[in-house]
């Protein structure tokens, strides 16, 4: 039920390098998108995928734990982001990963081309993982049915 699901895109564009997206910013983006509903896959669109493959990309925005907590409290069942991850890459505590994984919430990092959805913020997503045994992370193809 996580691989074919309703999805919502939360837009938080124009963030500076290393910015931690706050609960307030996520709440504002959710309000603009019509809310986060129980069972939604949530995609965070920062626009940083444009810098993928450059040194700049490793300074992409991340999330504050409070933002993840708020999304989880709304019933989010999976999160994806078009940045290097949800965590400050220099973190040694991995608070954001723990906030997700202790709740059983999967994470997709390094999403690309969310801009091709245009202004659309709600759609159905299909997430197609590659079946690989014995690994903690796998590549996925993420499709938006619009």
């Amino acid at each position: 039920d996580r691989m074919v699901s309703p999805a919502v895109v939360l837009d938080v564009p124009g963030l500076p390098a290393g910015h931690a997206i706050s609960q307030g910013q996520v709440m504002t983006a959710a309000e603009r998108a019509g809310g986060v509903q129980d069972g939604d896959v949530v995609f965070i669109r920062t626009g940083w995928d444009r810098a993928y493959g450059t040194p700049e990309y490793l300074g992409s925005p991340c999330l504050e734990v409070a933002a993840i907590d708020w999304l989880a409290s709304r019933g989010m069942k999976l999160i994806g982001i078009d940045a290097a991850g949800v965590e400050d890459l220099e973190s040694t505590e991995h608070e954001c990963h723990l906030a997700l994984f202790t709740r059983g919430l999967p994470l997709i990092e390094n999403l690309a081309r969310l801009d091709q959805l245009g202004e659309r913020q709600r759609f159905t997503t299909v997430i197609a993982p590659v079946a690989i045994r014995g690994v903690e992370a796998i590549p996925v193809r993420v499709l938006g049915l619009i």
Side-chain angles (χ1 to χ4, degrees):
D1 71 332
R2 290 184 199 198
M3 300 303 128
V4 178
S5 180
V8 62
V9 174
L10 305 184
D11 283 308
V12 286
L15 302 173
H19 179 82
I21 302 166
S22 70
Q23 177 182 338
Q25 288 173 299
V26 166
M27 291 171 69
T28 299
E31 186 177 320
R32 283 193 310 262
V36 174
Q37 300 172 12
D38 187 36
D40 274 348
V41 167
V42 173
F43 294 121
I44 307 291
R45 180 167 44 194
T46 67
W48 274 77
D49 59 321
R50 74 190 182 306
Y52 185 82
T54 70
E56 175 188 19
Y57 186 69
L58 296 179
S60 64
C62 57
L63 289 170
E64 290 182 355
V65 172
I68 292 171
D69 291 342
W70 185 83
L71 290 167
S73 76
R74 297 297 175 268
M76 168 187 75
K77 66 178 175 181
L78 184 149
I79 189 170
I81 189 166
D82 66 350
V86 294
E87 198 84 59
D88 177 342
L89 294 181
E90 294 184 15
S91 170
T92 58
E93 300 298 319
H94 307 288
E95 300 95 346
C96 291
H97 284 84
L98 289 172
L100 291 167
F101 299 156
T102 58
R103 291 178 167 106
L105 296 172
L107 166 63
I108 301 173
E109 299 170 323
N110 303 303
L111 282 169
R113 297 193 269 298
L114 286 173
D115 61 316
Q116 291 184 359
L117 293 167
E119 297 299 314
R120 181 179 311 274
Q121 293 187 282
R122 294 207 66 84
F123 57 97
T124 299
T125 189
V126 177
I127 301 166
V130 177
I132 303 173
R133 285 199 154 138
V135 296
E136 65 179 41
I138 57 172
V140 296
R141 176 155 321 261
V142 180
L143 307 171
L145 303 179
I146 53 175

